[in-house]
Amino acid sequence: MRLRRCQTVLIEPREHKEIDLELLLGATPRLASTLRWFALAPHLEQEQPLDGAEVALLGAVSPSDWSDAAELARTHAPATIENLLAKGLLVADDAGAHAAADRAARTRHWRPLAAVAHRHLRWRGVDTEIENARLGEISGGAVLDHLGPPPPPALDCAAPERRLGLPRGNASALDALLDRRVTCRNFDTARALSLAEVGAVLYRAFGARTATEVTGVAVLKKGVPSAGGLHPTEAYLLVQRVDGLAPGLYHYQPVAHALDPLREMSAEEAAEHARRFVAGQPWFARAPLQLIMASRFERNFWKYRNHAKAYRATILDAGHLSQTVYLAATELELAAFITAAVNEGDIEDALGLDPMEQGVLAVSGFGHRGALREEVEFDPLNAVWPA
Ligand SMILES: Cc1cc2nc3c(=O)[nH]c(=O)nc-3n(C[C@H](O)[C@H](O)[C@H](O)COP(=O)(O)O)c2cc1C
């Protein structure tokens, strides 16, 4: 059998502190500390604990050239080799799921650090309400007591008398729209969106205004900018209440300006998915429509191969789309949201996505705002809610 190391692995020494009564009651009370190694690899869903011998072996095996397993067993304990094979950090040339995942990873042009961060910062099954309670996360008036004063909201780089004042421009329709753009946490759960509303917002944010070719490459012109003009961000819809659409999952096709149905659901099932997708945030789970933004990395990485900025660019693209969703919705007297606190893993499971191929970056959405402000919204201008 021949072996090689997986293409990418980041090894992190991590300290774990826990209560040990003996140490706590000793002359200098302290917590017990354990230091352990963890391997984070982009082709593996779970991080893997390592011992020192495993770390040494990972540093001794080439990720590109195959080594003979019997040869390796002369200098390293067979159990260490077996452990790393079972963990998927060494891969064999015969078969196996780990080897296939590693082979796929080698073809995708990910920058290694970005790949590790993307794979291992995802959530699955997180409920932010439970998690915040567990972590003792504080909100409201107690925040300042706990955290002390924050850095100032704006940065001063010159004394006021040295400043060069700027004109604001005449108040315009865009100003009015920006003032009314308030993240919505109070959706009207009795009111569905119309297809006309959904179509208008999707077209303005995600739709292709034309499809053309640049130097032989098929490209789309959209209302939002995109790194390299590649527009890798896909919009998937989780529909709860849209007139004329069954609850369930859809994909938006930007050239045809049409929805591809993926999976129909009962209303209860759609509501359950909505809650899980936004990690239990009830104010967003109640929106009639969630827009899942998933980057089709291969589209960006086709050009920006193993590039230090490519992953960041895909995330920035999602931000531009989100703001356009906000403005397009606000213009139609609707209200929008975005959240990064999402269970990417659960969303991928529901949509059948491989996170290293199409990665969920955020969930946005929109709907009609309810009449009552039960959840907090940030509207100091009273542009949406009367004083
Ligand atoms: C990247 C990003 C992530 C966000 N995540 C959350 C979130 O998880 N939960 C939430 O309630 N709001 C979330 N928000 C909304 C912000 O809380 C909101 O934009 C901020 O409070 C300012 O309010 P405004 O959008 O009404 O001006 C997010 C906004 C952005 C841009």
Side-chain angles (χ1 to χ4, degrees), residues 181-183 185 281 283-284 326 338-341 378:
R181 184 216 54 81
V182 173
T183 297
R185 298 191 185 82
Q281 299 178 81
W283 40 89
F284 295 152
Y326 266 85
I338 178 167
T339 174
F378 185 52

Side-chain angles (χ1 to χ4, degrees), residues 281-324:
Q281 299 178 81
W283 40 89
F284 295 152
R286 290 192 280 260
L289 174 75
Q290 288 185 2
L291 274 174
I292 294 121
M293 287 191 254
S295 188
R296 196 156 44 93
F297 297 118
E298 66 175 1
R299 173 81 181 160
N300 179 293
F301 299 175
W302 163 77
K303 183 169 176 189
Y304 300 110
R305 296 182 181 202
N306 192 21
H307 196 296
K309 308 297 167 185
Y311 179 58
R312 187 191 301 176
T314 63
I315 301 172
L316 289 169
D317 275 11
H320 291 84
L321 287 158
S322 158
Q323 172 72 351
T324 310

Side-chain angles (χ1 to χ4, degrees), residues 123 128 178-185 278-279 281 283-284 315 319 322-323 326 336-342 361-363 369 376-380:
W123 283 353
T128 49
L178 290 167
D179 283 349
R180 285 190 288 119
R181 184 216 54 81
V182 173
T183 297
C184 183
R185 298 191 185 82
V278 296
Q281 299 178 81
W283 40 89
F284 295 152
I315 301 172
S322 158
Q323 172 72 351
Y326 266 85
F337 73 91
I338 178 167
T339 174
V342 303
L361 298 180
V363 173
R369 193 175 250 117
V376 67
E377 291 192 17
F378 185 52
D379 183 27

Side-chain angles (χ1 to χ4, degrees), residues 45-46 119-135 137 272-283 285 290 339-347 349 363:
E45 181 70 355
Q46 305 297 335
R119 168 71 86 165
H120 292 283
L121 295 176
R122 289 152 52 249
W123 283 353
R124 180 177 263 113
V126 170
D127 186 308
T128 49
E129 279 189 311
I130 297 172
E131 195 67 5
N132 289 348
R134 190 180 70 80
L135 294 172
E137 201 120 306
E272 166 52 29
H273 277 77
R275 204 183 136 72
R276 198 149 10 102
F277 283 10
V278 296
Q281 299 178 81
W283 40 89
Q290 288 185 2
T339 174
V342 303
N343 280 314
E344 296 92 339
D346 294 287
I347 299 173
D349 290 350
V363 173

Side-chain angles (χ1 to χ4, degrees), residues 25-171:
L25 301 172
T28 33
R30 60 192 160 89
L31 296 171
S33 155
T34 335
L35 272 166
R36 288 178 81 188
W37 296 103
F38 284 89
L40 300 132
H43 69 296
L44 300 177
E45 181 70 355
Q46 305 297 335
E47 59 183 30
Q48 300 292 335
L50 298 175
D51 63 25
E54 290 167 351
V55 172
L57 181 51
L58 284 177
V61 180
S62 168
S64 51
D65 300 329
W66 293 101
S67 307
D68 184 64
E71 195 69 32
L72 214 55
R74 288 211 193 105
T75 45
H76 293 84
T80 307
I81 298 172
E82 281 307 315
N83 287 346
L84 287 181
L85 271 170
K87 289 174 182 177
L89 296 164
L90 285 185
V91 288
D93 63 350
D94 42 13
H98 291 320
D102 177 54
R103 262 198 315 277
R106 288 168 190 263
T107 64
R108 287 187 180 140
H109 309 302
W110 271 92
R111 183 85 174 181
L113 261 184
V116 169
H118 176 69
R119 168 71 86 165
H120 292 283
L121 295 176
R122 289 152 52 249
W123 283 353
R124 180 177 263 113
V126 170
D127 186 308
T128 49
E129 279 189 311
I130 297 172
E131 195 67 5
N132 289 348
R134 190 180 70 80
L135 294 172
E137 201 120 306
I138 20 86
S139 57
V143 168
L144 276 182
D145 294 343
H146 276 77
L147 303 181
L155 186 63
D156 295 325
C157 289
E161 62 279 8
R162 289 194 52 235
R163 290 219 168 109
L164 310 170
L166 293 170
R168 283 212 162 90
N170 296 329

